[in-house]
Amino acid sequence: MGYLMDIDYWNRVCGDYQEEILSVFDNDLHKVVERCVAEVAASGEARRAADFGCGVGRFTPLLAKAFEEVEACDFSGVGLRKAKRRCRGKRNTRFHQVDLTKGEVPFEPVEFGFCVNVLILPGLDKRLRAWRSVLESIVVGGKLLLVAPSWESAQMEFYGSIAYHLNDGYGCGDAVKMSIEDRATTADLRMGVLQLDGVKTKHYLKPELVQMLMARGFEVDRITRVEYPTDEHQDFRRWDWLAMATKRE
């Protein structure tokens, strides 16, 4: 069974972050996330920001520099300790250990919500509760920057794997079987829950993200790709989706 996204999992991940996680901060080829943060800060419309699921705080110093006040929260105590060290000297940043699935966010709604690969829980119930916690923590008129794994990118990787096995001499049936995770269930696949390094992780279609946000009172300003470097097994660039949205109600 793949790792469950419980406190032990997140503490383990945060304890060995460089080995466990593809860091968006370090691997965003075109610095799309940083440019979007700078754009919101330059508009002058946001004074307070929240870093939802800050992890070890890779983006938190950037937010602390861009906004007057930052509320950084994470499930993992290990991650928060590392984030605090990374933000040493940043007096405008407060840290909170928060389980977003329980809806207990200990600060007032902010003008800018920053949420990078956090709403990825495999279970629908917990995932929707985390969505609610994030979206309700943004004021009307406020902005949300949301990064989430791309289902389309995962599909391209799947097709690339099939092509690789076909070129290696395998038949079509074997190539497909070898490209599907052994532990994948039909229900998971239909819900966009795929294995990332042995962990069940929610992936989103671009139209799905739009629908999720619009149904919850947000107007989608744009959706773009956050592209990552290729490796020796890929002939295309993997990407996540980045959505910028404004809360209208």
Side-chain angles (χ1 to χ4, degrees):
M1 178 180 293
Y3 289 104
L4 298 175
M5 290 186 175
D6 58 12
I7 189 65
D8 291 333
Y9 167 75
W10 289 117
N11 282 336
R12 181 182 64 82
V13 165
C14 289
D16 195 10
Y17 184 83
Q18 291 300 117
E19 293 297 323
E20 296 286 347
I21 293 290
L22 173 69
S23 167
V24 177
F25 181 88
D26 295 306
N27 291 281
D28 177 0
L29 278 177
H30 308 297
K31 301 301 178 186
V32 176
V33 177
E34 292 184 44
R35 288 193 283 111
C36 287
V37 170
E39 179 183 310
V40 174
S43 74
E45 297 176 0
R47 186 181 70 85
R48 297 177 61 242
D51 189 353
F52 295 103
C54 66
V56 299
R58 294 299 285 136
F59 280 107
T60 313
L62 175 70
L63 297 175
K65 184 177 180 180
F67 301 96
E68 291 182 31
E69 296 180 26
V70 176
E71 309 286 355
C73 59
D74 200 84
F75 190 33
S76 166
V78 173
L80 285 171
R81 287 195 293 274
K82 291 191 173 188
K84 287 178 183 178
R85 287 198 295 271
R86 198 181 297 277
C87 295
R88 190 179 293 116
K90 301 281 192 300
R91 298 181 179 230
N92 64 338
T93 305
R94 290 178 290 273
F95 295 88
H96 313 272
Q97 188 164 8
V98 173
D99 182 349
L100 292 173
T101 68
K102 294 184 177 178
E104 299 173 354
V105 177
F107 50 83
E108 294 298 312
V110 299
E111 293 91 19
F112 179 55
F114 183 84
C115 189
V116 173
N117 284 340
V118 172
L119 303 177
I120 59 176
L121 298 160
L124 179 60
D125 179 60
K126 285 190 175 182
R127 188 167 68 249
L128 290 179
R129 280 188 269 149
W131 267 90
R132 188 178 307 114
S133 293
V134 170
L135 300 188
E136 289 182 351
S137 298
I138 300 172
V139 301
V140 173
K143 297 282 187 181
L144 170 68
L145 185 157
L146 174 68
V147 175
S150 164
W151 170 261
E152 292 92 335
S153 178
Q155 280 296 101
M156 288 299 298
E157 192 167 4
F158 173 64
Y159 297 142
S161 176
I162 292 173
Y164 174 83
H165 292 305
L166 289 173
N167 290 336
D168 220 23
Y170 290 94
C172 292
D174 287 335
V176 171
K177 288 178 182 178
M178 294 170 70
S179 301
I180 296 175
E181 276 282 348
D182 291 338
R183 292 162 289 190
T185 68
T186 301
D188 284 344
L189 294 174
R190 289 182 68 87
M191 290 295 293
V193 175
L194 308 174
Q195 298 273 347
L196 276 181
D197 298 323
V199 182
K200 288 187 176 184
T201 304
K202 169 62 180 170
H203 291 61
Y204 293 86
L205 293 164
K206 181 178 179 179
E208 181 185 9
L209 274 181
V210 172
Q211 191 276 333
M212 290 286 291
L213 289 163
M214 290 182 63
R216 289 158 178 78
F218 279 74
E219 178 181 328
V220 178
D221 303 318
R222 80 182 76 129
I223 290 190
T224 190
R225 295 182 181 188
V226 180
E227 295 188 337
Y228 303 116
T230 58
D231 61 33
E232 66 273 17
H233 302 300
Q234 296 172 325
D235 57 4
F236 77 100
R237 296 201 185 281
R238 289 178 51 202
W239 75 90
D240 287 342
W241 289 122
L242 181 150
M244 287 289 292
T246 303
K247 190 170 185 177
R248 295 305 186 196
E249 58 185 64

